Amino acid sequence: MMDADDSKMDGPKPAESAEASAPASAARRTLLIGAVATSAVVSIRPALAQTAGSVLNCKIPVPERGKGMFIDPAGKLVTPDTPGAFPPSPRDFTGEEVRQALQGRNLPGTTREQSQAYLNYIRKLQNGQSGFTCYASLQMPRR
């Protein structure tokens, strides 16, 4: 129902203006912060889920292709004639396979000793080597 006094529709009187606008602007600010936070959560969560999925599907070659080297039990690259050295893996390992192997399982298609040699090689990967980013991503804590 409309009041006969339309002056209320013009907004608060000058004396009331400062008092009334403070709570209103605080409420607006709170709503704005909430809206920004909500949009951040909505856009970040899918990105984190996608990142987690890509980490588990990334590839780590053991060793880098084209090196023609074998891997000794300590994870060092050695010449193929080195006693006790293992040939390169015929396929890349996924981040998920490496994560499971770091928790005690063997890498697929390997013996226990071969898996340990490959894991030692992977642990020594450095920036610029194939598979380094994938392995580094496995080391990041998840929430």
Side-chain angles (χ1 to χ4, degrees), residues 7 10 19 24 36 39 45 50 53 58 63 83 87-89 97 104 107 110 112 122 130 132 137-140:
S7 65
D10 293 336
E19 294 172 10
V36 169
S39 67
R45 280 205 177 146
Q50 183 178 3
C58 62
S89 172
E97 292 168 339
L107 289 166
T110 65
R112 184 76 184 143
I122 291 169
S130 293
F132 171 77
S137 298
L138 292 173
Q139 304 306 307
M140 303 296 267

mmCIF file of all heavy atoms in Angstrom, residues 7 10 19 24 36 39 45 50 53 58 63 83 87-89 97 104 107 110 112 122 130 132 137-140:
data_model
loop_
_atom_site.group_PDB
_atom_site.id
_atom_site.type_symbol
_atom_site.label_atom_id
_atom_site.label_comp_id
_atom_site.label_asym_id
_atom_site.label_seq_id
_atom_site.Cartn_x
_atom_site.Cartn_y
_atom_site.Cartn_z
ATOM 1 N N SER A 7 7.550 11.618 -0.045
ATOM 2 C CA SER A 7 8.912 12.071 0.219
ATOM 3 C C SER A 7 9.809 10.922 0.649
ATOM 4 O O SER A 7 11.011 10.995 0.532
ATOM 5 C CB SER A 7 8.912 13.178 1.282
ATOM 6 O OG SER A 7 8.465 12.644 2.520
ATOM 7 N N ASP A 10 12.080 9.492 -2.106
ATOM 8 C CA ASP A 10 13.221 10.266 -2.563
ATOM 9 C C ASP A 10 14.498 9.865 -1.846
ATOM 10 O O ASP A 10 15.554 10.393 -2.110
ATOM 11 C CB ASP A 10 12.975 11.768 -2.360
ATOM 12 C CG ASP A 10 11.851 12.262 -3.264
ATOM 13 O OD1 ASP A 10 11.611 11.605 -4.296
ATOM 14 O OD2 ASP A 10 11.238 13.280 -2.914
ATOM 15 N N GLU A 19 23.991 7.910 8.403
ATOM 16 C CA GLU A 19 23.698 6.738 9.226
ATOM 17 C C GLU A 19 23.138 5.597 8.388
ATOM 18 O O GLU A 19 23.498 4.443 8.565
ATOM 19 C CB GLU A 19 22.693 7.121 10.323
ATOM 20 C CG GLU A 19 23.239 8.092 11.339
ATOM 21 C CD GLU A 19 22.133 8.585 12.285
ATOM 22 O OE1 GLU A 19 21.027 8.017 12.229
ATOM 23 O OE2 GLU A 19 22.397 9.508 13.036
ATOM 24 N N ALA A 24 24.121 0.183 4.633
ATOM 25 C CA ALA A 24 23.794 -0.224 3.263
ATOM 26 C C ALA A 24 25.068 -0.488 2.459
ATOM 27 O O ALA A 24 25.157 -1.473 1.735
ATOM 28 C CB ALA A 24 22.940 0.840 2.589
ATOM 29 N N VAL A 36 32.222 -12.423 -5.503
ATOM 30 C CA VAL A 36 33.563 -12.647 -6.046
ATOM 31 C C VAL A 36 34.116 -13.983 -5.557
ATOM 32 O O VAL A 36 34.675 -14.762 -6.323
ATOM 33 C CB VAL A 36 34.508 -11.481 -5.667
ATOM 34 C CG1 VAL A 36 35.941 -11.820 -5.988
ATOM 35 C CG2 VAL A 36 34.078 -10.214 -6.374
ATOM 36 N N SER A 39 32.387 -16.892 -7.346
ATOM 37 C CA SER A 39 32.842 -17.085 -8.722
ATOM 38 C C SER A 39 34.251 -17.658 -8.745
ATOM 39 O O SER A 39 34.596 -18.431 -9.634
ATOM 40 C CB SER A 39 32.767 -15.782 -9.509
ATOM 41 O OG SER A 39 33.698 -14.855 -9.016
ATOM 42 N N ARG A 45 37.668 -24.727 -8.788
ATOM 43 C CA ARG A 45 37.453 -26.153 -8.553
ATOM 44 C C ARG A 45 37.576 -26.997 -9.817
ATOM 45 O O ARG A 45 38.257 -28.006 -9.802
ATOM 46 C CB ARG A 45 36.115 -26.380 -7.867
ATOM 47 C CG ARG A 45 36.209 -26.098 -6.395
ATOM 48 C CD ARG A 45 35.189 -26.845 -5.617
ATOM 49 N NE ARG A 45 35.390 -26.567 -4.203
ATOM 50 C CZ ARG A 45 34.451 -26.488 -3.328
ATOM 51 N NH1 ARG A 45 33.200 -26.676 -3.693
ATOM 52 N NH2 ARG A 45 34.723 -26.250 -2.069
ATOM 53 N N GLN A 50 40.762 -30.733 -13.108
ATOM 54 C CA GLN A 50 41.411 -30.996 -14.388
ATOM 55 C C GLN A 50 42.902 -31.201 -14.180
ATOM 56 O O GLN A 50 43.503 -32.089 -14.771
ATOM 57 C CB GLN A 50 41.159 -29.842 -15.343
ATOM 58 C CG GLN A 50 41.742 -30.066 -16.710
ATOM 59 C CD GLN A 50 41.434 -28.915 -17.644
ATOM 60 O OE1 GLN A 50 40.835 -27.928 -17.261
ATOM 61 N NE2 GLN A 50 41.885 -29.035 -18.872
ATOM 62 N N GLY A 53 43.574 -34.603 -12.708
ATOM 63 C CA GLY A 53 43.430 -35.615 -13.746
ATOM 64 C C GLY A 53 44.592 -35.629 -14.701
ATOM 65 O O GLY A 53 45.076 -36.687 -15.095
ATOM 66 N N CYS A 58 49.743 -37.765 -17.137
ATOM 67 C CA CYS A 58 50.958 -37.295 -17.792
ATOM 68 C C CYS A 58 51.929 -38.468 -17.965
ATOM 69 O O CYS A 58 51.767 -39.513 -17.339
ATOM 70 C CB CYS A 58 51.590 -36.143 -17.009
ATOM 71 S SG CYS A 58 52.135 -36.553 -15.330
ATOM 72 N N PRO A 63 64.501 -44.216 -19.922
ATOM 73 C CA PRO A 63 64.942 -42.820 -19.828
ATOM 74 C C PRO A 63 64.405 -42.022 -20.999
ATOM 75 O O PRO A 63 63.609 -42.538 -21.786
ATOM 76 C CB PRO A 63 66.458 -42.941 -19.896
ATOM 77 C CG PRO A 63 66.690 -44.118 -20.794
ATOM 78 C CD PRO A 63 65.540 -45.065 -20.506
ATOM 79 N N PRO A 83 77.294 -54.131 -16.337
ATOM 80 C CA PRO A 83 76.681 -55.272 -15.648
ATOM 81 C C PRO A 83 75.599 -54.794 -14.661
ATOM 82 O O PRO A 83 75.766 -53.815 -13.948
ATOM 83 C CB PRO A 83 77.842 -55.912 -14.874
ATOM 84 C CG PRO A 83 79.084 -55.375 -15.501
ATOM 85 C CD PRO A 83 78.729 -54.045 -16.103
ATOM 86 N N PRO A 87 67.571 -52.325 -19.391
ATOM 87 C CA PRO A 87 67.289 -51.616 -20.642
ATOM 88 C C PRO A 87 66.227 -50.543 -20.410
ATOM 89 O O PRO A 87 65.484 -50.588 -19.430
ATOM 90 C CB PRO A 87 66.766 -52.720 -21.567
ATOM 91 C CG PRO A 87 66.219 -53.757 -20.654
ATOM 92 C CD PRO A 87 67.061 -53.697 -19.401
ATOM 93 N N PRO A 88 66.134 -49.582 -21.327
ATOM 94 C CA PRO A 88 65.090 -48.571 -21.187
ATOM 95 C C PRO A 88 63.703 -49.210 -21.237
ATOM 96 O O PRO A 88 63.524 -50.263 -21.849
ATOM 97 C CB PRO A 88 65.296 -47.645 -22.383
ATOM 98 C CG PRO A 88 66.452 -48.154 -23.135
ATOM 99 C CD PRO A 88 66.935 -49.410 -22.508
ATOM 100 N N SER A 89 62.759 -48.578 -20.604
ATOM 101 C CA SER A 89 61.388 -49.076 -20.638
ATOM 102 C C SER A 89 60.858 -48.962 -22.065
ATOM 103 O O SER A 89 61.076 -47.948 -22.730
ATOM 104 C CB SER A 89 60.515 -48.250 -19.698
ATOM 105 O OG SER A 89 59.163 -48.600 -19.857
ATOM 106 N N GLU A 97 50.745 -44.450 -12.530
ATOM 107 C CA GLU A 97 51.577 -45.646 -12.336
ATOM 108 C C GLU A 97 52.783 -45.326 -11.462
ATOM 109 O O GLU A 97 53.140 -46.109 -10.568
ATOM 110 C CB GLU A 97 52.030 -46.191 -13.690
ATOM 111 C CG GLU A 97 50.900 -46.775 -14.513
ATOM 112 C CD GLU A 97 51.278 -47.044 -15.951
ATOM 113 O OE1 GLU A 97 52.253 -46.445 -16.464
ATOM 114 O OE2 GLU A 97 50.573 -47.853 -16.589
ATOM 115 N N GLY A 104 54.847 -48.273 -3.199
ATOM 116 C CA GLY A 104 55.223 -49.657 -2.936
ATOM 117 C C GLY A 104 54.918 -50.662 -4.030
ATOM 118 O O GLY A 104 55.374 -51.801 -3.950
ATOM 119 N N LEU A 107 56.313 -50.809 -11.024
ATOM 120 C CA LEU A 107 55.875 -50.208 -12.275
ATOM 121 C C LEU A 107 55.406 -51.333 -13.189
ATOM 122 O O LEU A 107 55.967 -52.445 -13.156
ATOM 123 C CB LEU A 107 57.021 -49.423 -12.916
ATOM 124 C CG LEU A 107 57.403 -48.132 -12.206
ATOM 125 C CD1 LEU A 107 58.752 -47.619 -12.695
ATOM 126 C CD2 LEU A 107 56.325 -47.075 -12.416
ATOM 127 N N THR A 110 57.501 -54.622 -15.011
ATOM 128 C CA THR A 110 58.876 -54.630 -14.518
ATOM 129 C C THR A 110 59.025 -55.587 -13.346
ATOM 130 O O THR A 110 58.058 -55.906 -12.656
ATOM 131 C CB THR A 110 59.321 -53.231 -14.040
ATOM 132 O OG1 THR A 110 58.534 -52.847 -12.903
ATOM 133 C CG2 THR A 110 59.168 -52.190 -15.137
ATOM 134 N N ARG A 112 60.848 -56.326 -9.583
ATOM 135 C CA ARG A 112 61.030 -55.454 -8.419
ATOM 136 C C ARG A 112 62.313 -54.627 -8.556
ATOM 137 O O ARG A 112 62.320 -53.425 -8.299
ATOM 138 C CB ARG A 112 61.075 -56.312 -7.135
ATOM 139 C CG ARG A 112 61.160 -55.511 -5.883
ATOM 140 C CD ARG A 112 59.786 -54.934 -5.595
ATOM 141 N NE ARG A 112 59.862 -54.070 -4.433
ATOM 142 C CZ ARG A 112 59.172 -52.956 -4.327
ATOM 143 N NH1 ARG A 112 58.359 -52.582 -5.274
ATOM 144 N NH2 ARG A 112 59.274 -52.216 -3.269
ATOM 145 N N ILE A 122 63.726 -41.790 -12.002
ATOM 146 C CA ILE A 122 62.664 -40.772 -11.994
ATOM 147 C C ILE A 122 62.895 -39.761 -10.876
ATOM 148 O O ILE A 122 62.723 -38.558 -11.072
ATOM 149 C CB ILE A 122 61.276 -41.445 -11.870
ATOM 150 C CG1 ILE A 122 60.967 -42.219 -13.161
ATOM 151 C CG2 ILE A 122 60.183 -40.427 -11.558
ATOM 152 C CD1 ILE A 122 59.759 -43.148 -13.066
ATOM 153 N N SER A 130 62.697 -34.778 -19.969
ATOM 154 C CA SER A 130 61.352 -35.294 -20.224
ATOM 155 C C SER A 130 60.828 -36.003 -18.984
ATOM 156 O O SER A 130 61.532 -36.814 -18.386
ATOM 157 C CB SER A 130 61.365 -36.289 -21.382
ATOM 158 O OG SER A 130 61.675 -35.636 -22.581
ATOM 159 N N PHE A 132 60.063 -34.532 -16.134
ATOM 160 C CA PHE A 132 60.316 -33.805 -14.887
ATOM 161 C C PHE A 132 59.059 -33.111 -14.368
ATOM 162 O O PHE A 132 58.723 -33.219 -13.194
ATOM 163 C CB PHE A 132 61.435 -32.771 -15.057
ATOM 164 C CG PHE A 132 61.565 -31.860 -13.864
ATOM 165 C CD1 PHE A 132 62.182 -32.303 -12.710
ATOM 166 C CD2 PHE A 132 61.043 -30.570 -13.882
ATOM 167 C CE1 PHE A 132 62.284 -31.482 -11.598
ATOM 168 C CE2 PHE A 132 61.141 -29.745 -12.776
ATOM 169 C CZ PHE A 132 61.761 -30.199 -11.629
ATOM 170 N N SER A 137 54.853 -32.639 -10.402
ATOM 171 C CA SER A 137 53.429 -32.483 -10.087
ATOM 172 C C SER A 137 52.961 -33.552 -9.111
ATOM 173 O O SER A 137 52.088 -33.293 -8.288
ATOM 174 C CB SER A 137 52.600 -32.574 -11.361
ATOM 175 O OG SER A 137 52.936 -31.538 -12.236
ATOM 176 N N LEU A 138 53.532 -34.725 -9.178
ATOM 177 C CA LEU A 138 53.160 -35.800 -8.242
ATOM 178 C C LEU A 138 53.603 -35.462 -6.823
ATOM 179 O O LEU A 138 53.032 -35.956 -5.858
ATOM 180 C CB LEU A 138 53.806 -37.118 -8.658
ATOM 181 C CG LEU A 138 53.309 -37.750 -9.941
ATOM 182 C CD1 LEU A 138 54.156 -38.960 -10.295
ATOM 183 C CD2 LEU A 138 51.855 -38.134 -9.819
ATOM 184 N N GLN A 139 54.630 -34.639 -6.698
ATOM 185 C CA GLN A 139 55.172 -34.284 -5.384
ATOM 186 C C GLN A 139 54.366 -33.195 -4.695
ATOM 187 O O GLN A 139 54.534 -32.959 -3.512
ATOM 188 C CB GLN A 139 56.626 -33.834 -5.502
ATOM 189 C CG GLN A 139 57.531 -34.854 -6.162
ATOM 190 C CD GLN A 139 57.470 -36.200 -5.492
ATOM 191 O OE1 GLN A 139 57.647 -36.307 -4.289
ATOM 192 N NE2 GLN A 139 57.161 -37.235 -6.261
ATOM 193 N N MET A 140 53.494 -32.503 -5.444
ATOM 194 C CA MET A 140 52.702 -31.416 -4.867
ATOM 195 C C MET A 140 51.639 -31.994 -3.950
ATOM 196 O O MET A 140 50.970 -32.958 -4.316
ATOM 197 C CB MET A 140 52.029 -30.593 -5.975
ATOM 198 C CG MET A 140 52.993 -30.027 -6.966
ATOM 199 S SD MET A 140 54.095 -28.855 -6.237
ATOM 200 C CE MET A 140 53.196 -27.392 -6.543
#
